[in-house]
Amino acid sequence: MTKQTVNPTVEALVARSNRLGADPRNTNYAGGNTSAKGIEKDPVTGQDVELLWVKGSGGDLGTLTAKGLAVLRLDRLRALTEVYPGVEREDEMVAAFDYCLHGKGGAAPSIDTAMHGLVDAAHVDHLHPDAGIAIATAADGPELTQKIFGGKVVWVPWRRPGFQLGLDIAEIKVAHPDAIGTVLGGHGITAWGETAEESEANSLWIIETAAAYIAEHGAPEPFGPALDGYDALPDDERRAKAAALAPHLRAVASHDRPQVGHFTDADVVLDFLASTEHARLAELGTSCPDHFLRTKVKPLVVDLPATATVEEIVERLPELHEAYRADYTAYYERGAAEARARGEEPPAMRGADPAIVLVPGVGMFSYGADKQTARVAGEFYVNAVNVMRGAEALSTYAPIDESEKFRIEYWALEEAKLQRKPKPKPLATRIAFVTGAASGIGKAIATRLAAEGACVVLADLDLAKAQAAAAELGSTDVAIGLAANVADEAAVQAALAEAVLAFGGVDIVVNNAGLSLSKSLFDTTEADWDLQHDVMAKGSFLVAKNAARILVDQKLGGDIVYISSKNSVFAGPNNIAYSATKADQAHQVRLLAAELGEHGIKVNGINPDGVVRGSGIFASGWGANRAKTYGIEEQDLGKFYAQRTLLKREVLPEHVANAVYALCTSDFSHTTGLHVPVDAGVAQAFLR
């Protein structure tokens, strides 16, 4: 066998896919698929074999690599037409694709594989452009397709993606030899070509022609005239209102299971909500399967003007939520009854909470099992709004009916895809707010929580360092860095507002920000005392107070963890201000545990000692002072602390992070008011 090299057909396919996927006007995230047919040597026989390379299930065109392609023997794929059992059993053909695979290591074939393999063209693109779906969802879509494109593009009535749709498009290409593609009713577009360049050019021509036609011939106010009182609020007022509403809306979206949130106040959303027809169109729901699989069939719309107060909206939410859940449950029951009438047993209902919440004057809140899912759901609803605008500009928006939506949403193949997803990490869906997080113990805590699946907000006095530390943990879907002076309540409130706008809320609050001065009683000034207490005692109080409001409003419980100190219970020399404020923090733990328990909020503390390596406090002069107090060299301080412990072990920031993580897991679901020593055993600091 000869060494395999990258096939130029594959290189061209990946490059074309990346170009198409990089432009949101062409397709949405993870939407659509591309393919190419070509020749490669069979490593077993050494003979040429004709292959199909097609984007695999779940991949994204914009970031596609060769590893994301499914590779199939074209002769075997096309031979499946001889054993195809008919549209009633077309789902069985997906399993048959596995018997057509060439080699190993490729991606799993998607439901659209037949479309690519059966169409007699070397290159095929299937995309979900807003302009194309606008034509596909217009009430007179067939007539518009003919009028806009002539015979170059052919209308295909709605059909659920699968083997039969592939056969239909293949037949259309044969019957219309001059056609370069199709508009798929309610869904998207497909284009083809004999070269990669031709296929890409044809795809772009369809998209650009549709967009130009809508721009030239569309009605100037497709969503109707402006609705009095529904205009977008001024920027600062809008974001403040969004932050105040976010915890309450997350409670609505998380009734069945906790969700992470995303907020956008993009003009496209605000303009839609400020128009007369927004309620009618929102009720009709989305159409393209890629849209409603992520957004649910319709959003929850707050039916109050932009002038409504936060309190008025919060008062209205329970009734709106109850009505939404009842409506979705009825939709599920109707669809399930139809499925059973066909002899199918549908998957259980996955929850009746909204994935999209629209608030006039404010914007859109979207939800998912993680930040990326929540963000992408919002992006898809923006796509849906653009589709509605185009369809209404030319005609009337007419999405596929709800029975077809149900067949997609509760498709056995879709359920199987969901079941294949990896098991969530222990802290998935939880959002952590860590103060003093740019270095030392705080950074170690943020790193551990992110590694366990949490979204993390790293708050620190030094914004640049907080952002740099956050970037080390991953994208902004994982962590963000914010400036926060914990001694200033306005700054604390602003940081928490940014946190809830970024991730939807807060579940874990870690009071870690701190500093220390090692001075005797007589050398400690009033300014020293105030500084220590402002940052740690007052700062912890301000963070806990303002974060607890969010935790209570979310109705999801939560964790508040104080990073106190062994010095909160141990009396040592030259440490009056630091130890006193740590004792204050330690008692805050007990007081808040007693007050917040009725809301399911656990409050616990951790008492570290001797965390020298990686510690911002020790590096800022505290280490030198403590070393002088004990009569040792500063570089030996960690070893000194280790030798005075029962376990003779040095304590590192990661050990404190381990304790924070443990307290926030279900293993400690019944523990509150506890102080956990992380000091390798200091007998003088044993709790009594």
Side-chain angles (χ1 to χ4, degrees):
M1 292 188 296
T2 59
K3 183 179 179 181
Q4 295 291 303
T5 58
V6 178
N7 190 303
T9 300
V10 173
E11 289 184 317
L13 171 59
V14 170
R16 169 173 117 236
S17 302
N18 294 163
R19 287 192 299 270
L20 289 170
D23 190 338
R25 290 173 298 182
N26 299 334
T27 201
N28 35 44
Y29 175 82
N33 29 69
T34 51
S35 69
K37 302 177 183 76
I39 302 296
E40 200 166 78
K41 292 288 185 184
D42 187 320
V44 175
T45 67
Q47 301 299 310
D48 286 347
V49 59
E50 192 173 8
L51 300 178
L52 170 72
W53 292 272
V54 58
K55 192 202 83 170
S57 178
D60 173 54
L61 287 176
T63 55
L64 184 69
T65 65
K67 292 182 179 179
L69 297 171
V71 188
L72 300 94
R73 289 278 299 261
L74 194 57
D75 58 345
R76 294 181 66 82
L77 176 61
R78 288 178 169 171
L80 293 178
T81 58
E82 302 301 320
V83 296
Y84 176 50
V87 69
E88 295 80 8
R89 294 170 53 194
E90 68 172 336
D91 289 0
E92 298 172 18
M93 303 306 288
V94 174
F97 293 154
D98 291 343
Y99 295 93
C100 304
L101 295 175
H102 177 75
K104 64 179 183 178
S110 77
I111 190 66
D112 288 319
T113 297
M115 176 195 302
H116 293 271
L118 300 181
V119 170
D120 186 18
H123 300 267
V124 178
D125 299 329
H126 167 57
L127 303 170
H128 299 149
D130 294 347
I133 307 175
I135 307 303
T137 56
D140 53 349
E143 293 78 12
L144 282 171
T145 299
Q146 176 61 35
K147 187 175 183 179
I148 296 170
F149 305 108
K152 291 183 69 175
V153 179
V154 181
W155 174 267
V156 181
W158 161 259
R159 185 183 292 281
R160 191 171 61 156
F163 203 86
Q164 186 61 54
L165 181 59
L167 288 171
D168 292 348
I169 297 174
E171 291 176 4
I172 283 173
K173 186 179 184 307
V174 171
H176 300 269
D178 295 329
I180 64 169
T182 64
V183 171
L184 310 179
H187 185 169
I189 70 166
T190 295
W192 48 75
E194 289 311 309
T195 66
E197 294 77 13
E198 184 181 28
S199 184
E200 182 176 0
N202 288 341
S203 293
L204 295 176
W205 182 83
I206 295 173
I207 295 167
E208 291 164 1
T209 300
Y213 188 88
I214 293 169
E216 182 179 354
H217 299 281
E221 291 185 331
F223 294 145
L227 196 56
D228 188 39
Y230 282 72
D231 288 344
L233 298 171
D235 289 358
D236 290 345
E237 183 181 349
R238 184 169 69 244
R239 290 186 67 81
K241 191 172 182 179
L245 288 171
H248 301 279
L249 298 177
R250 190 176 181 218
V252 165
S254 301
H255 181 274
D256 290 320
R257 59 183 65 86
Q259 300 283 284
V260 176
H262 175 75
F263 171 72
T264 181
D265 54 359
D267 289 344
V268 61
V269 175
L270 294 171
D271 292 346
F272 175 65
L273 294 174
S275 302
T276 307
E277 299 300 318
H278 80 267
R280 173 183 66 83
L281 293 168
E283 180 64 22
L284 288 173
T286 52
S287 185
C288 176
D290 264 29
H291 293 180
F292 61 75
L293 281 173
R294 292 166 173 83
T295 67
K296 283 199 165 169
V297 290
K298 65 181 73 171
L300 185 155
V301 182
V302 173
D303 57 352
L304 295 172
T307 52
T309 65
V310 170
E311 292 74 21
E312 288 170 335
I313 295 173
V314 170
E315 184 179 358
R316 177 74 173 128
L317 276 177
E319 186 176 354
L320 290 174
H321 187 209
E322 182 180 357
Y324 185 95
R325 288 179 61 83
D327 182 72
Y328 186 86
T329 301
Y331 153 79
Y332 174 83
E333 290 174 348
R334 288 191 297 270
E338 290 179 8
R340 294 186 184 106
R342 294 191 300 267
E344 304 167 5
E345 184 55 40
M349 188 170 72
R350 300 188 193 105
D353 296 324
I356 303 291
V357 179
L358 302 174
V359 183
V362 177
M364 173 173 62
F365 299 80
S366 52
Y367 297 92
D370 53 44
K371 169 65 177 186
Q372 184 193 50
T373 304
R375 174 177 55 78
V376 169
E379 292 171 1
F380 273 83
Y381 199 78
V382 168
N383 291 132
V385 171
N386 289 334
V387 166
M388 294 175 194
R389 175 188 288 109
E392 288 283 306
L394 297 179
S395 176
T396 301
Y397 175 62
I400 61 175
D401 64 42
E402 76 160 38
S403 63
E404 288 299 309
K405 291 179 183 180
F406 181 88
R407 291 189 71 199
I408 295 283
E409 186 177 2
Y410 286 93
W411 202 352
L413 295 176
E414 185 65 28
E415 181 69 13
K417 185 190 298 185
L418 294 174
Q419 294 302 321
R420 288 194 301 267
K421 294 181 70 173
K423 181 181 178 182
K425 292 182 178 180
L427 297 184
T429 75
R430 305 202 75 192
I431 302 152
F433 184 89
V434 184
T435 66
S439 62
I441 291 173
K443 185 176 180 182
I445 292 168
T447 300
R448 180 63 194 274
L449 298 182
E452 300 294 346
C455 298
V456 184
V457 178
L458 292 83
D460 199 275
L461 197 59
D462 190 321
L463 174 60
K465 288 184 178 179
Q467 291 175 332
E472 292 179 25
L473 301 183
S475 72
T476 52
D477 286 341
V478 175
I480 61 170
L482 298 177
N485 177 1
V486 297
D488 179 341
E489 185 162 27
V492 169
Q493 291 171 341
L496 285 167
E498 287 301 310
V500 300
L501 291 180
F503 295 117
V506 174
D507 302 295
I508 298 169
V509 180
V510 183
N511 272 317
N512 169 73
L515 75 163
S516 185
L517 301 171
S518 177
K519 293 183 179 181
S520 70
L521 171 64
F522 298 114
D523 290 334
T524 300
T525 67
E526 181 180 358
D528 293 335
W529 178 272
D530 288 344
L531 178 61
Q532 299 270 283
H533 281 72
D534 277 352
V535 173
M536 289 180 286
K538 176 185 172 184
S540 294
F541 155 70
L542 291 176
V543 172
K545 171 188 172 184
N546 288 281
R549 288 195 176 108
I550 297 170
L551 297 175
V552 170
D553 290 342
Q554 290 175 154
K555 302 177 183 178
L556 295 172
D559 285 278
I560 300 176
V561 181
Y562 279 65
I563 307 303
S564 185
S565 170
K566 169 266 296 179
N567 290 321
S568 65
V569 293
F570 169 74
N574 301 328
N575 210 8
I576 177 66
Y578 179 80
S579 294
T581 195
K582 285 299 181 182
D584 186 315
Q585 284 186 308
H587 200 48
Q588 285 186 39
V589 168
R590 291 182 279 266
L591 293 167
L592 295 186
E595 185 167 345
L596 297 176
E598 66 178 291
H599 301 287
I601 300 169
K602 302 187 286 114
V603 188
N604 293 292
I606 294 172
N607 290 345
D609 182 48
V611 184
V612 179
R613 278 195 278 167
S615 168
I617 286 179
F618 276 89
S620 63
W622 170 261
N625 287 328
R626 299 316 293 166
K628 182 178 179 181
T629 298
Y630 296 123
I632 61 173
E633 296 295 323
E634 184 177 358
Q635 65 265 26
D636 295 328
L637 192 57
K639 295 178 182 177
F640 172 81
Y641 282 138
Q643 288 307 308
R644 74 182 187 180
T645 70
L646 300 176
L647 297 175
K648 302 296 187 285
R649 298 172 184 169
E650 185 175 354
V651 180
L652 301 176
E654 290 74 16
H655 301 139
V656 182
N658 294 342
V660 173
Y661 163 67
L663 285 171
C664 296
T665 65
S666 58
D667 290 346
F668 281 80
S669 61
H670 289 60
T671 299
T672 192
L674 173 70
H675 280 279
V676 179
V678 182
D679 57 12
V682 178
Q684 300 95 321
F686 283 175
L687 296 174
R688 296 175 175 84

